[in-house]
Amino acid sequence: LDQLATDCRSALKANYDETGMAKCAEYVGKACGDAEFVAKFLPDSPAKERTVIYEDPELEFCICAHVYNGAKQGSPHDHGPTWAIYGQAVGETEMTDWEIVEPAAGDKPAKVKLSRKYKLTPGDAHYYPQGAVHAPYRADSTRLIRIEGKDTMKLSRTPIEQVDG
């Protein structure tokens, strides 16, 4: 974990842009393939599905461990005013990307339509820039690492409603 945090911090301090995010995604993929890391930080039966295991005091990015037992369907969402990198460690996640067809306005949620489906398998890491709308589907138990630009549990997110798919 210390190495992952140090590597990501260095990449983001050098390039807080697509280049730095791509480097972080590489590091996340590598961590997801490390059996010792996975065993230590993504245990079979954690107390919670999502646990922040590192938060950077200067850059504010956080590294989260996610463990889902059994199938789980996520709704289309963004990460509010920040970005995220998902890294698949165990199992398989079908991800969907969604196109905004009507932006949120006032109390009205953004409306989205399905634009793409793809799978994340162990060792895969994918970067979602600010505003990217996506949703995961897990047919079985999974474990993943997610880096968030800021802790999304402390942020407001766009209300989103799907119009198809």
Side-chain angles (χ1 to χ4, degrees):
L1 178 61
D2 290 339
Q3 189 63 55
L4 175 59
T6 298
D7 289 344
C8 289
R9 176 179 237 287
S10 295
L12 294 173
K13 283 188 81 111
N15 295 292
Y16 203 89
D17 59 14
E18 299 283 328
T19 302
M21 303 303 166
K23 229 25 200 166
C24 286
E26 281 181 42
Y27 299 136
V28 170
K30 183 178 174 184
C32 287
D34 181 325
E36 286 182 38
F37 180 91
V38 171
K40 182 173 183 178
F41 295 104
L42 297 164
D44 286 336
S45 299
K48 301 181 286 184
E49 286 183 334
R50 175 191 187 271
T51 304
V52 175
I53 56 176
Y54 173 83
E55 190 163 2
D56 191 84
E58 179 187 356
L59 299 179
E60 298 181 338
F61 71 89
C62 60
I63 301 172
C64 305
H66 290 258
V67 177
Y68 300 102
N69 290 313
K72 185 165 181 127
Q73 172 71 51
S75 299
H77 65 277
D78 67 10
H79 291 108
T82 194
W83 52 269
I85 297 170
Y86 285 60
Q88 192 76 33
V90 175
E92 196 171 271
T93 300
E94 180 179 280
M95 292 298 289
T96 54
D97 289 345
W98 299 77
E99 177 186 344
I100 297 174
V101 294
E102 187 178 317
D107 291 342
K108 289 177 55 181
K111 295 194 187 273
V112 297
K113 70 176 185 175
L114 183 64
S115 62
R116 181 170 82 124
K117 288 185 180 186
Y118 51 99
K119 291 189 185 227
L120 295 179
T121 58
D124 289 343
H126 190 86
Y127 164 61
Y128 296 92
Q130 179 179 341
V133 179
H134 54 280
Y137 171 70
R138 300 165 185 96
D140 204 348
S141 298
T142 59
R143 297 185 219 172
L144 63 128
I145 293 295
R146 184 167 82 190
I147 297 186
E148 301 169 348
K150 295 185 187 302
D151 185 345
T152 59
M153 299 308 283
K154 300 174 184 174
L155 302 174
S156 292
R157 293 164 132 186
T158 308
I160 295 174
E161 179 179 288
Q162 68 186 57
V163 293
D164 73 348

